[in-house]
Amino acid sequence: MDELGPLSSQIGQRSEAANRDAAGRCLANPALLEDVAFGLGHKDAAVLGDAAEVMTMVAQVAPGLVAPFAERLVPLLGHQTTRVRWEAMHALALVAVLRPEVIFPLLPRLGELLASDSSVIVRDYATEALGNYAGRGPEAAEQALPYLRQALTAAGGKHAGRALDGLAKALAAAPGLAGELLPLAEQYQGHERGVVRKAARALMKRL
């Protein structure tokens, strides 16, 4: 990774500054993402997390650059280190609409993560991945719908706001879902959490 530059863990840095610098170099020279992708197979969990974080940072600006590497992120969803899982899940969420053929077979796995992953962040990004995938088109919206409904109540409703945002994307892609989504929007408009009420109102406006 000489041209890419050192990643945070390689220089003992506790902040994300070195990884953000690396992401900037990748945006300027996308060929460097091959080096980052190589890091996704590293045995050291710290390097794995750094590489996944760089992918996430690049995808936040230019998801199309990271989309070709989606398959290499998938195995990291089962990593024992929480940071590795959440960075991989975040990057996949950002490219979900661009790589539906990668996300579709992952849908049951995302449902498992919603049900059992110990990390709130992992579950948050799993919900975002479902919503972004749902926005791909009518078929994707139908496929993601059961899992977005699951996300509404997962972990005591902690992800309900993101799930409602995802349902709004599903509705935009498949207006025929309106009848099924209307009761959900109505139900969550009276939720105790403001972010959930706001998402429910936004969904209602689309309806």
Side-chain angles (χ1 to χ4, degrees), residues 30-95:
L32 293 177
L33 281 169
E34 289 290 349
D35 287 343
V36 181
F38 180 79
L40 295 176
H42 205 281
K43 292 182 179 180
D44 187 320
V47 176
L48 272 175
D50 285 342
E53 183 174 49
V54 172
M55 286 288 186
T56 294
M57 290 173 170
V58 174
Q60 287 172 324
V61 178
L65 296 180
V66 173
F69 303 98
E71 289 92 343
R72 302 200 205 183
L73 292 160
V74 172
L76 302 185
L77 299 182
H79 201 276
Q80 64 181 1
T81 301
T82 301
R83 178 183 174 232
V84 174
R85 296 199 310 279
W86 93 47
E87 292 293 358
M89 190 71 262
H90 193 179
L92 282 168
L94 291 167
V95 303

Side-chain angles (χ1 to χ4, degrees), residues 111 113-116 123 127 147-160 188:
L113 291 174
L114 285 170
S116 62
R123 298 194 305 268
T127 304
Y147 300 99
L148 286 168
R149 291 179 70 100
Q150 175 189 349
L152 283 171
T153 57
K158 285 185 178 179
H159 313 289
Y188 282 91

Side-chain angles (χ1 to χ4, degrees), residues 117-141:
D117 198 284
S118 60
S119 169
V120 174
I121 299 174
V122 172
R123 298 194 305 268
D124 274 345
Y125 290 134
T127 304
E128 288 190 15
L130 288 165
N132 291 340
Y133 174 75
R136 172 76 185 194
E139 185 176 10

